[in-house]
Amino acid sequence: SHIDLFPNPTTGEININLNDYETLSGFELDISNSVGQKLYVEQITAGNSIVNLKALGNEGLYILRLTDSKGNSRLSKVLLVR
């Protein structure tokens, strides 16, 4: 099982594809900026989600954390460019 985040770098929207992960219990997505300020939290239950990073702030590095119902988490870095 794996999770795809694309495109990276992005000019705005990021697609999150949970693929064959069990999504019935859902995931919590939180997005922080490069200094660790949490900007966004969402419960994801669908296999695919789209988040607009441009709505969260300026260009730069964002850290996306997906946490499942068992507390396992995965960090990904995404670069927002003009």
Side-chain angles (χ1 to χ4, degrees):
S1 325
H2 65 286
I3 298 170
D4 293 323
L5 298 170
F6 59 92
N8 190 8
T10 181
T11 56
E13 291 184 340
I14 189 91
N15 295 280
I16 302 165
N17 185 343
L18 299 177
N19 294 306
D20 53 352
Y21 262 90
E22 178 59 62
T23 56
L24 291 177
S25 56
F27 283 81
E28 181 176 279
L29 167 68
D30 65 68
I31 302 175
S32 302
N33 61 17
S34 59
V35 294
Q37 293 173 302
K38 194 177 286 191
L39 305 173
Y40 183 85
V41 178
E42 178 187 1
Q43 296 297 321
I44 296 179
T45 53
N48 295 295
S49 280
I50 296 175
V51 175
N52 186 359
L53 290 181
K54 197 179 273 187
L56 301 180
N58 298 322
E59 299 84 34
L61 185 67
Y62 289 84
I63 292 107
L64 283 70
R65 179 192 306 263
L66 281 165
T67 307
D68 68 18
S69 60
K70 296 175 184 155
N72 301 311
S73 63
R74 173 188 163 167
L75 289 177
S76 298
K77 295 176 183 174
V78 176
L79 189 61
L80 177 62
V81 296
R82 287 179 192 240

